[in-house]
Amino acid sequence: MTPLSLPGRAAAEDPFRVPRPAVVSFSGGRSSAYMLARIVEAHGGRLPGEIHVVFANTGMERAETLDFVETCGAAWNVDIHWVEYDWDAPHRTRIVNRASAATRGEPYAALIERKGFVPSVNIRFCSGFLKRDRIESFARHRLGLKRWHAVIGLRADEPGRVRRMRARDCGSRTGGRAALPLADAGIRQADVQEWWKRQPFDLAIPSWAGNCDLCFLKARAKLLRIVRDEPERAEWWIDQEARVAHRTGPDGRACDSMKVFRLGESYEELRRAALDTPDLFDPSPAGETDDPSFECHCID
């Protein structure tokens, strides 16, 4: 691995020598993979026993992401624990691997079925149940930890997310207390991209496309481009909205905002717009997430 220099920082102050015990949340994106590589390097090429790496699979990560996670583990000699949401498994958490991991959105669909409505920007329960809670469950019940450092791959050029993460003091609600080595080291997206150019392998997904194939947090222009290129990817999202189309709230009202992932536009309408308009990129509505390196972090 080729490290980035950290001018003026003594080895003992290296933010990648994370405090222990630590649970590294590996999203499967380039930033979190870079963070993992730097943590391994900072510990002499092999992780100590008190540093654990966990990848929470929602079933909607692209196949390239799953392959990338497996390749990172093999290349850096890291035991990456794969977990999924499963209501019937002990502590609602199933342990899987690349061969047994869900690839058709099964954990995500099962959560939506149990909730009775789909997540959205306003009610974003997917990352909490499918990622954060699964990693916390693994730390508590599989590793037997009561307190640990939750290592998250937020960069220095994501100041809003960094501030929110630090302000929450996640140790007050869960056993994990946030550690943000990328932000502490001043690492930005350009640094991560430059580092990956020098590596023998890389994530086989354009940086703008992200991991979760049509996540509703992506900018509309990006979703339109993905659907134009691969219209079949919209099917799962359309199907989930169809499954909750006739649900009502406790008072019997329709609760239309709980029936679509994207407020004001269904995925059927999104697909129609993508296939009916020839523009490669379209203006994104104000306020919509438009971070080309967006990764869904476990407690963000």
Side-chain angles (χ1 to χ4, degrees), residues 13-247:
E13 299 173 337
D14 185 349
F16 295 100
R17 290 190 63 83
V18 295
R20 293 178 261 172
V23 177
V24 179
S25 298
F26 185 19
S27 74
R30 288 183 176 87
S31 290
S32 66
Y34 168 82
M35 177 183 71
L36 176 58
R38 291 295 305 272
I39 292 171
V40 172
E41 180 185 57
H43 290 86
R46 189 171 186 86
L47 292 183
E50 290 182 293
I51 299 179
H52 312 274
V53 183
V54 186
F55 167 66
N57 180 46
T58 69
M60 289 308 293
E61 280 76 20
R62 296 172 60 116
E64 297 94 329
T65 297
L66 304 185
D67 292 339
F68 183 64
V69 172
E70 186 175 49
T71 299
C72 288
W76 303 329
N77 195 27
V78 174
D79 185 12
I80 300 175
H81 305 281
W82 294 46
V83 297
E84 291 179 356
Y85 167 81
D86 184 341
W87 181 264
D88 297 320
H91 309 293
R92 314 290 185 235
T93 305
R94 189 163 75 102
I95 309 302
V96 297
N97 54 36
R98 177 63 183 94
S100 62
T103 58
R104 298 180 180 178
E106 298 93 334
Y108 202 161
L111 177 61
I112 291 172
E113 178 64 27
R114 192 159 196 91
K115 285 282 190 181
F117 59 96
V118 298
S120 66
V121 173
N122 290 343
I123 312 175
R124 186 186 165 194
F125 61 80
C126 47
S127 60
F129 278 88
L130 298 173
K131 291 178 174 290
R132 180 197 62 210
D133 292 354
R134 304 289 59 82
I135 294 173
E136 179 189 344
S137 172
F138 184 86
R140 285 188 182 281
H141 302 295
R142 288 282 179 158
L143 300 177
L145 299 176
K146 293 183 179 180
R147 286 282 184 267
W148 65 91
H149 298 272
V151 185
I152 313 294
L154 294 179
R155 302 185 310 269
D157 54 354
E158 301 174 284
R161 302 176 78 191
V162 169
R163 282 195 301 270
R164 291 195 298 273
M165 186 70 71
R166 295 200 195 280
R168 284 178 189 173
D169 183 16
C170 56
S172 63
R173 193 190 73 82
T174 72
R177 188 171 299 277
L180 310 177
L182 292 179
D184 291 339
I187 300 300
R188 308 173 70 84
Q189 183 188 2
D191 300 320
V192 174
Q193 292 176 334
E194 183 60 32
W195 187 83
W196 277 108
K197 290 178 183 178
R198 303 194 297 271
Q199 305 313 308
F201 68 94
D202 192 3
L203 175 60
I205 301 175
S207 60
W208 58 266
N211 291 329
C212 184
D213 66 354
L214 291 180
C215 175
F216 55 86
L217 292 176
K218 288 178 180 163
R220 186 172 186 267
K222 297 174 185 177
L223 293 174
L224 290 171
R225 181 175 182 179
I226 294 170
V227 174
R228 287 191 188 103
D229 292 342
E230 302 174 272
E232 68 280 1
R233 288 196 179 274
E235 292 294 339
W236 184 91
W237 302 87
I238 293 171
D239 184 55
Q240 300 312 307
E241 291 181 336
R243 287 174 183 271
V244 302
H246 302 293
R247 300 288 176 89

